Amino acid sequence: MITHHLSDKLLMAYSAGSLPEAFNLAVATHIALCDECRARLASFDAIGGAMLEQTQPTSVVLQDGALAATLARIKAAPAIAKPVHEPRGEGILPEPLASYVGGDIDQIEWRGVGGGVRQAILQTSKIATARMLYIPAGVAVPDHGHNGMEMTLVLQGVFADETARFGRGDIEIADEDLDHQPVAEPGEDCICLAVTDAPLKFRAFLPRLAQPFLRI
Amino acid sequence: MFDMSRPPSAPRQVVRTEDTFLARGNKSRRDGRQQQVQAQNGAEWVALVKRVSDAQDTAAFTALFEHFAPRVKAFLMKSGASHAQAEEVAQDVMVTVWKKAAQFDPSRASVATWIFTIARNRRIDMLRRDRRPEPEELFWGPEEEPDQLQVIALQQESDQLSAAIATLPEKQRIMIEQAYFSDRSHSEIAEETGLPLGTIKSRIRLALERLRHSLS
């Protein structure tokens, strides 16, 4: 059961369409797994709809013949096929994450970052970074604080830090104030999507030195 | 949050803001060739979309166009689009409304909310902003017709939300509008208004709480 959800602020920004791509990816992937946040997102979209309804268009005038022009474009435009919704597969990764990875977890090209921890950077716009993290069961991710915001979505296994325990679908939202050391619980290796809008600050000397090369 | 799946609890009022009454349809036409079409609430807008979908009904589309196209254009201009760009994209959004009319699900969104999401996505394309991946769809089963009771409940909730937003104090309404419509982050809003970030965030939160309160 998912116990760590998206904040109102993030849901509203996703609804408004004002987040960097990497954050959009984490929000959308959490929603794919979490019906509660899906319903909350619908509420935020409804606020957007109500705001559109309330907009006073008096100062904005359409061009003459706008309706006729639109009807002509409708005639010329091809029909839009109804999308086919496949039932969810058995994979670990839901959409949209699976598309970013190019398949399920067996398609990820991991690179070791030390201590058995592996990562794979996903292709997004540069404002924020999205990466898959593989933390072997029982292993700790290097102790780090944050310059900006970090979101960590668990897809397999469980990790725990000083604040709480996170299983599949749970999302941890950490900011400057949180200085944490996540540890994967024994049993299953932990796979996460981690998104940051600023480089992490590592405590230990060596990880900090390695940071520019690892892009985390 | 206002849970869209919950059946309505209080006696419903039909929302009659001045604007929805301006239901223009073809009121200004004097030649009487087309039947005048009007919509005053969510359920009636739903019926118009269904007429477009089922019968390619131009009169129904005209009513939708005259109500929503100027609002979409105003929304885009508030987001920083030029007059010409906003006109172009507003027409484009209305072409999509026609072409996707069959995909509109009135048990999940009001017509205004549906058009808001189309306009938001087009705005992101237009401004070449960060991609906004969507969560995978829930699988509803083959050819499932929306539950009529759910449709009625959701459309009434949406009317109420619109009415609640209309009664918000001007300051709070503007804060929500900026969060949704302007292509700016919270920190940019703070720079422009000289308000500290914390105040802005708490004002948005306050506005949301007022919304929730007025809906409970």
Side-chain angles (χ1 to χ4, degrees):
Chain A
M1 203 185 101
I2 295 172
T3 51
H4 299 278
H5 297 277
L6 293 163
S7 62
D8 282 350
K9 193 182 138 201
L10 277 164
L11 278 169
M12 187 192 236
Y14 179 72
S15 174
S18 53
L19 289 175
E21 182 179 1
F23 282 85
N24 283 332
L25 175 61
V27 169
T29 305
H30 173 80
I31 288 167
L33 298 171
C34 179
D35 291 343
E36 190 182 321
C37 287
R38 191 188 287 272
R40 285 169 66 214
L41 174 66
S43 303
F44 281 99
D45 285 348
I47 295 177
M51 292 305 291
L52 182 67
E53 185 64 48
Q54 301 287 315
T55 300
Q56 297 301 326
T58 42
S59 58
V60 174
V61 183
L62 292 172
Q63 280 165 19
D64 284 346
L67 174 61
T70 303
L71 287 170
R73 284 168 68 172
I74 287 166
K75 255 190 164 168
I80 298 174
K82 211 169 180 170
V84 186
H85 298 310
E86 300 287 343
R88 246 187 77 64
E90 297 297 302
I92 302 282
L93 306 182
E95 289 296 350
L97 183 56
S99 292
Y100 275 76
V101 164
D104 207 41
I105 45 175
D106 53 343
Q107 296 298 311
I108 300 175
E109 288 179 24
W110 297 108
R111 299 184 64 165
V113 296
V117 177
R118 291 181 275 166
Q119 73 164 2
I121 308 272
L122 303 179
Q123 203 68 50
T124 63
S125 72
K126 300 264 182 271
I127 307 172
T129 304
R131 66 192 194 281
M132 300 299 299
L133 269 184
Y134 185 104
I135 312 163
V139 167
V141 173
D143 189 12
H144 63 276
H146 306 94
N147 291 315
M149 189 191 254
E150 181 186 42
M151 287 165 68
T152 311
L153 172 65
V154 179
L155 295 149
Q156 178 190 292
V158 175
F159 82 78
D161 66 12
E162 289 81 351
T163 62
R165 199 169 169 273
F166 299 83
R168 177 169 167 84
D170 281 329
I171 191 157
E172 183 187 54
I173 300 163
D175 59 16
E176 286 93 346
D177 304 332
L178 185 71
D179 199 356
H180 68 159
Q181 181 157 34
V183 179
E185 286 194 354
E188 199 174 12
D189 294 341
C190 184
I191 294 175
C192 306
L193 168 66
V195 172
T196 49
D197 66 352
L200 303 182
K201 297 180 277 196
F202 280 102
R203 301 274 151 241
F205 175 65
L206 264 177
R208 185 192 290 278
L209 199 77
Q211 233 178 304
F213 305 103
L214 304 176
R215 285 186 62 194
I216 59 175
Chain B
M1 283 313 309
F2 8 92
D3 180 354
M4 296 302 177
S5 62
R6 208 171 41 202
S9 51
R12 299 287 159 178
Q13 297 174 303
V14 175
V15 179
R16 303 201 158 179
T17 63
E18 211 166 310
D19 237 350
T20 48
F21 251 146
L22 286 177
R24 302 148 198 201
N26 296 320
K27 221 180 243 177
S28 56
R29 288 197 182 212
R30 298 230 171 110
D31 59 12
R33 270 182 308 169
Q34 275 184 307
Q35 211 189 339
Q36 183 175 302
V37 174
Q38 296 190 353
Q40 292 172 4
N41 59 36
E44 292 177 11
W45 288 120
V46 168
L48 292 185
V49 173
K50 195 160 165 45
R51 281 168 56 180
V52 171
S53 157
D54 291 352
Q56 290 76 52
D57 184 330
T58 307
F61 181 77
T62 301
L64 286 159
F65 185 92
E66 292 187 347
H67 184 76
F68 286 108
R71 284 173 169 75
V72 170
K73 186 173 177 182
F75 159 60
L76 293 162
M77 289 182 68
K78 280 179 186 167
S79 309
S82 69
H83 227 281
Q85 208 176 15
E87 173 83 24
E88 165 74 15
V89 176
Q91 289 187 22
D92 211 58
V93 167
M94 296 311 294
V95 171
T96 305
V97 165
W98 179 297
K99 295 286 174 184
K100 287 195 169 173
Q103 292 172 35
F104 169 61
D105 180 350
S107 68
R108 292 165 72 183
S110 70
V111 172
T113 298
W114 179 56
I115 294 178
F116 161 72
T117 59
I118 295 170
R120 171 199 62 204
N121 293 349
R122 288 294 288 116
R123 185 191 67 170
I124 291 169
D125 296 344
M126 172 185 78
L127 299 172
R128 295 206 179 80
R129 289 298 300 260
D130 290 78
R131 276 179 65 202
R132 183 183 173 283
E134 302 259 356
E136 65 189 16
E137 289 284 334
L138 294 175
F139 186 60
W140 298 101
E143 297 298 313
E144 198 177 299
E145 278 293 311
D147 177 341
Q148 281 312 306
L149 281 177
Q150 236 183 36
V151 171
I152 291 164
L154 187 127
Q155 297 304 324
Q156 285 179 342
E157 291 263 3
S158 301
D159 288 346
Q160 280 200 320
L161 177 64
S162 237
I165 284 183
T167 62
L168 283 177
E170 181 72 3
K171 261 186 184 169
Q172 294 185 353
R173 216 181 45 72
I174 289 172
M175 295 314 296
I176 299 182
E177 186 172 284
Q178 290 197 332
Y180 275 87
F181 289 2
S182 68
D183 189 42
R184 290 178 299 170
S185 66
H186 293 324
S187 51
E188 285 170 318
I189 293 171
E191 276 167 28
E192 184 168 299
T193 59
L195 288 169
L197 200 56
T199 317
I200 299 225
K201 281 180 188 162
S202 65
R203 277 202 203 163
I204 289 175
R205 202 161 45 235
L206 194 69
L208 281 171
E209 274 162 14
R210 291 257 335 227
L211 282 179
R212 281 185 204 127
H213 184 71
S214 59
L215 281 167
S216 63

